[in-house]
Amino acid sequence: MTVKHRYSALALFVSMALAMLGYFASGRLGYVPIPSVERTEVVAMLDLPEHASFETTRKYMDRLADAADAMREDFIDSGSEESIVGNHWRLIGTTYPGRPYSKSDGVMFLGLMPFSLRSEPGPNNDTIMARWRELIGDLPASATLRMRSQKTEGSEEREKDPLELELRGPDSETKQQLAREIADKIRGYDGIENAWAHVRSQQNELELTLKPRAAELGVTQQVLANQVRQAFYGEEAQRILRGRDEYRIMVRLPKEQRESLSTLQALRVRTPAGAEVPLFTVANVAFVKSPTFIERNNKAEAIRIGAEPKNKGVDLVRIAKSVTPAIRDLLKNHEDQTFVFTGAVAEAEETKKRLIIGFIAMMFALYALLAIPFKSVLQPFYILIVVPFGAIGALLGHILLGITPSDLSLFGMLAMAGVVVNDSLVMVDDINRRVREGTSLRKAVELSGCRRFRPIFLTSATTFLGLLPLMSDRSLQAQFLIPMAVSLAFGVLFATAITLLLIPCVLMVADDLRHLVSRFASWYAKPFNRQKPAT
């Protein structure tokens, strides 16, 4: 039946491929570089302006704690009647244990009931974080609250944001305003929960510059800086050991004098000749605005702009590509400013390039291995046609199981390509053998389809059943392997129909085209082959 209506069957498969391609390209299916694994802990990081006091930070952290306690009654396990939301602990003065102290930062860790102890899967971490945000309420515009259901890759110094880019160029008020405008543009996209620019507010600092009188007295910038530092920070005079502890003895002004600006008026500077002169005799002292720190990457001053999605299914790579033209338009009048995506988006682009290169190399290798035994240029294409159609089955598997495709899914599709080629190879080889024995192509296709149905079906079915335990595993370790298993299992299963239905149609259509080309060539050459009349 399929061979008889081969053009309709071929049109049906092509339509399915185009429909799946359109659905994937629309972003409804989503895509993430690395699958987000549900952890039994949620981390909330609070970042307030640097001028905020320790007590202000404590007040907002208490607000987070009260919201976490109120959330206990919202998520109850139906089997044990216990709350899925567990205990929490917090740190004030840092955004993660082991990082530098900052009185305007805080972090809270919220424990959740392990999935193995729940009677049913229950709410995912995205739902819990959304409810936590709702109970916390609105925060000041200058405050940034970031939530993670797992620790993202990052150095010990800082945490990488899910969507992150750097605005590079000379630091200025204009640059800081551009960073805020870029964050506002990203925040306007569907699927983005929050976006922020890591712009540190400028604070007053004292700037000391030498007067002409300093050169006459032999006072240099280094001499001046060392003596001011010794007065306020201190100079190490001695180290004392007490058991395992080591104590540094610092000589400096009393605390009351170090905390008063009037001390500068009485401060005296010792010249190389041994004389002591007032500080204002050799230096000018002025208040200036300066950032608390300057971040540099690749020798360029950078402001980091970050965003986090509403849930793990948001395609951040697609959002990054969509917002790129808007950012370029924003920076077109600022030639000294550039931007570059970092973190997961940059890694996804690099992985995509490697996958494309690997896919091309794999297809070329498969074509070469098939062309040699078949001694044909065209027949390897008939076999390799199952590879892109097998991806349809892999994506259908992700839709059925509610899994967002990721880079690991693509790795599974590469493995699936090598498996589905085997079934097509066996069938095409059997058809060629029958044709060589004198059977017509149509009869050979029909006989091979019936004869090879059982081994092809059993091969696909056993592969699918073998991967079924892994796909149904709920352990944390299996979550990274499940996308690959889904791509391989459903791709192989769908490839069974492709091998049994599409391959025969392709062979028959190719034979029809060959006859059509042959008849056209005969018709075209007929006037030239007609014998000329005798004169």
Side-chain angles (χ1 to χ4, degrees), residues 18-44:
L18 293 176
M20 182 56 68
L21 179 63
Y23 185 75
F24 180 77
S26 67
R28 292 183 176 89
L29 187 56
Y31 185 84
V32 292
I34 299 297
S36 178
V37 178
E38 295 289 339
R39 300 293 182 94
T40 56
E41 186 179 63
V42 173
V43 183

Short mmCIF file of all heavy atoms in Angstrom, two decimals, residues 18-44:
data_model
loop_
_atom_site.label_atom_id
_atom_site.label_comp_id
_atom_site.label_asym_id
_atom_site.label_seq_id
_atom_site.Cartn_x
_atom_site.Cartn_y
_atom_site.Cartn_z
N LEU A 18 8.74 19.10 8.54
CA LEU A 18 8.59 20.55 8.52
C LEU A 18 7.80 21.04 9.73
O LEU A 18 8.10 22.10 10.30
CB LEU A 18 7.92 21.00 7.22
CG LEU A 18 8.73 20.78 5.93
CD1 LEU A 18 7.90 21.18 4.72
CD2 LEU A 18 10.03 21.58 5.97
N ALA A 19 6.76 20.29 10.12
CA ALA A 19 5.96 20.68 11.29
C ALA A 19 6.80 20.65 12.56
O ALA A 19 6.73 21.57 13.39
CB ALA A 19 4.75 19.76 11.41
N MET A 20 7.62 19.60 12.72
CA MET A 20 8.46 19.52 13.91
C MET A 20 9.53 20.59 13.90
O MET A 20 9.85 21.19 14.94
CB MET A 20 9.11 18.13 13.99
CG MET A 20 9.98 17.92 15.23
SD MET A 20 9.10 18.23 16.78
CE MET A 20 7.95 16.85 16.76
N LEU A 21 10.09 20.88 12.72
CA LEU A 21 11.09 21.93 12.61
C LEU A 21 10.48 23.29 12.97
O LEU A 21 11.10 24.09 13.69
CB LEU A 21 11.67 21.96 11.19
CG LEU A 21 12.73 23.04 10.91
CD1 LEU A 21 13.95 22.81 11.79
CD2 LEU A 21 13.13 23.03 9.44
N GLY A 22 9.27 23.56 12.49
CA GLY A 22 8.61 24.82 12.82
C GLY A 22 8.28 24.92 14.30
O GLY A 22 8.43 25.99 14.90
N TYR A 23 7.84 23.82 14.89
CA TYR A 23 7.51 23.82 16.32
C TYR A 23 8.75 24.07 17.17
O TYR A 23 8.72 24.82 18.15
CB TYR A 23 6.88 22.48 16.70
CG TYR A 23 6.38 22.41 18.12
CD1 TYR A 23 5.21 23.06 18.50
CD2 TYR A 23 7.09 21.69 19.08
CE1 TYR A 23 4.76 23.00 19.81
CE2 TYR A 23 6.64 21.63 20.39
CZ TYR A 23 5.47 22.28 20.75
OH TYR A 23 5.04 22.22 22.04
N PHE A 24 9.87 23.47 16.76
CA PHE A 24 11.11 23.65 17.52
C PHE A 24 11.64 25.07 17.34
O PHE A 24 12.10 25.71 18.30
CB PHE A 24 12.15 22.63 17.07
CG PHE A 24 13.45 22.73 17.80
CD1 PHE A 24 13.60 22.26 19.09
CD2 PHE A 24 14.56 23.32 17.20
CE1 PHE A 24 14.79 22.35 19.77
CE2 PHE A 24 15.76 23.44 17.87
CZ PHE A 24 15.88 22.94 19.15
N ALA A 25 11.58 25.58 16.09
CA ALA A 25 12.11 26.92 15.82
C ALA A 25 11.27 28.01 16.48
O ALA A 25 11.77 29.10 16.77
CB ALA A 25 12.17 27.17 14.31
N SER A 26 9.99 27.74 16.75
CA SER A 26 9.13 28.74 17.37
C SER A 26 9.48 28.99 18.83
O SER A 26 9.04 29.99 19.41
CB SER A 26 7.66 28.30 17.27
OG SER A 26 7.42 27.15 18.07
N GLY A 27 10.24 28.08 19.44
CA GLY A 27 10.61 28.25 20.83
C GLY A 27 9.65 27.62 21.82
O GLY A 27 9.90 27.65 23.03
N ARG A 28 8.54 27.05 21.33
CA ARG A 28 7.57 26.44 22.25
C ARG A 28 8.14 25.20 22.93
O ARG A 28 7.79 24.90 24.07
CB ARG A 28 6.29 26.08 21.50
CG ARG A 28 5.48 27.29 21.01
CD ARG A 28 4.20 26.85 20.34
NE ARG A 28 3.37 27.98 19.95
CZ ARG A 28 3.47 28.60 18.80
NH1 ARG A 28 4.39 28.20 17.92
NH2 ARG A 28 2.70 29.63 18.51
N LEU A 29 8.99 24.49 22.21
CA LEU A 29 9.59 23.29 22.80
C LEU A 29 10.68 23.66 23.79
O LEU A 29 10.91 22.93 24.77
CB LEU A 29 10.17 22.40 21.69
CG LEU A 29 10.69 21.02 22.10
CD1 LEU A 29 9.61 20.22 22.82
CD2 LEU A 29 11.20 20.25 20.89
N GLY A 30 11.31 24.81 23.59
CA GLY A 30 12.36 25.26 24.50
C GLY A 30 13.69 24.59 24.21
O GLY A 30 13.77 23.59 23.49
N TYR A 31 14.72 25.14 24.80
CA TYR A 31 16.05 24.56 24.67
C TYR A 31 16.93 25.15 25.76
O TYR A 31 16.91 26.35 26.02
CB TYR A 31 16.66 24.86 23.29
CG TYR A 31 17.99 24.18 23.06
CD1 TYR A 31 18.05 22.87 22.62
CD2 TYR A 31 19.18 24.85 23.33
CE1 TYR A 31 19.27 22.26 22.42
CE2 TYR A 31 20.40 24.23 23.15
CZ TYR A 31 20.43 22.94 22.69
OH TYR A 31 21.64 22.32 22.50
N VAL A 32 17.69 24.29 26.42
CA VAL A 32 18.64 24.72 27.44
C VAL A 32 19.98 24.05 27.16
O VAL A 32 20.02 22.91 26.69
CB VAL A 32 18.15 24.36 28.86
CG1 VAL A 32 16.93 25.16 29.24
CG2 VAL A 32 17.86 22.88 28.98
N PRO A 33 21.08 24.74 27.39
CA PRO A 33 22.38 24.11 27.14
C PRO A 33 22.60 22.87 28.00
O PRO A 33 23.00 21.82 27.50
CB PRO A 33 23.38 25.23 27.49
CG PRO A 33 22.62 26.49 27.35
CD PRO A 33 21.21 26.16 27.75
N ILE A 34 22.36 23.01 29.30
CA ILE A 34 22.54 21.90 30.23
C ILE A 34 21.23 21.71 30.99
O ILE A 34 20.65 22.69 31.47
CB ILE A 34 23.68 22.17 31.23
CG1 ILE A 34 25.01 22.36 30.48
CG2 ILE A 34 23.81 21.03 32.23
CD1 ILE A 34 25.48 21.14 29.72
N PRO A 35 20.72 20.48 31.10
CA PRO A 35 19.45 20.29 31.81
C PRO A 35 19.56 20.69 33.27
O PRO A 35 20.56 20.41 33.93
CB PRO A 35 19.19 18.77 31.66
CG PRO A 35 20.52 18.17 31.37
CD PRO A 35 21.28 19.21 30.61
N SER A 36 18.54 21.37 33.75
CA SER A 36 18.49 21.79 35.13
C SER A 36 17.98 20.63 35.98
O SER A 36 16.90 20.11 35.76
CB SER A 36 17.56 23.00 35.29
OG SER A 36 17.47 23.38 36.64
N VAL A 37 18.79 20.23 36.95
CA VAL A 37 18.46 19.10 37.81
C VAL A 37 17.82 19.61 39.10
O VAL A 37 18.33 20.54 39.73
CB VAL A 37 19.73 18.27 38.13
CG1 VAL A 37 19.40 17.12 39.06
CG2 VAL A 37 20.35 17.75 36.84
N GLU A 38 16.71 19.01 39.45
CA GLU A 38 16.02 19.41 40.67
C GLU A 38 16.84 18.99 41.89
O GLU A 38 17.15 17.82 42.08
CB GLU A 38 14.64 18.74 40.73
CG GLU A 38 13.68 19.21 39.65
CD GLU A 38 13.20 20.63 39.86
OE1 GLU A 38 13.28 21.10 41.01
OE2 GLU A 38 12.75 21.27 38.89
N ARG A 39 17.22 19.96 42.70
CA ARG A 39 17.98 19.70 43.92
C ARG A 39 17.06 19.83 45.12
O ARG A 39 15.95 20.36 45.03
CB ARG A 39 19.15 20.67 44.04
CG ARG A 39 20.15 20.59 42.89
CD ARG A 39 20.89 19.28 42.87
NE ARG A 39 21.88 19.21 41.79
CZ ARG A 39 23.16 19.52 41.93
NH1 ARG A 39 23.61 19.94 43.10
NH2 ARG A 39 23.98 19.42 40.91
N THR A 40 17.55 19.36 46.24
CA THR A 40 16.77 19.44 47.48
C THR A 40 17.15 20.68 48.28
O THR A 40 17.09 20.67 49.51
CB THR A 40 16.99 18.18 48.33
OG1 THR A 40 18.40 18.03 48.59
CG2 THR A 40 16.49 16.95 47.61
N GLU A 41 17.54 21.73 47.58
CA GLU A 41 17.91 22.96 48.25
C GLU A 41 17.71 24.13 47.29
O GLU A 41 18.00 24.03 46.10
CB GLU A 41 19.38 22.90 48.69
CG GLU A 41 19.83 24.09 49.53
CD GLU A 41 21.28 23.95 49.96
OE1 GLU A 41 22.16 23.91 49.09
OE2 GLU A 41 21.52 23.86 51.18
N VAL A 42 17.20 25.22 47.82
CA VAL A 42 17.03 26.45 47.06
C VAL A 42 17.87 27.52 47.74
O VAL A 42 17.84 27.66 48.97
CB VAL A 42 15.54 26.88 47.01
CG1 VAL A 42 15.41 28.24 46.37
CG2 VAL A 42 14.73 25.85 46.23
N VAL A 43 18.61 28.28 46.95
CA VAL A 43 19.50 29.32 47.46
C VAL A 43 18.96 30.68 47.02
O VAL A 43 18.65 30.88 45.85
CB VAL A 43 20.94 29.13 46.94
CG1 VAL A 43 21.86 30.17 47.56
CG2 VAL A 43 21.44 27.72 47.25
N ALA A 44 18.84 31.59 47.96
CA ALA A 44 18.41 32.97 47.67
C ALA A 44 19.54 33.91 48.05
O ALA A 44 20.01 33.90 49.20
CB ALA A 44 17.14 33.32 48.45
#
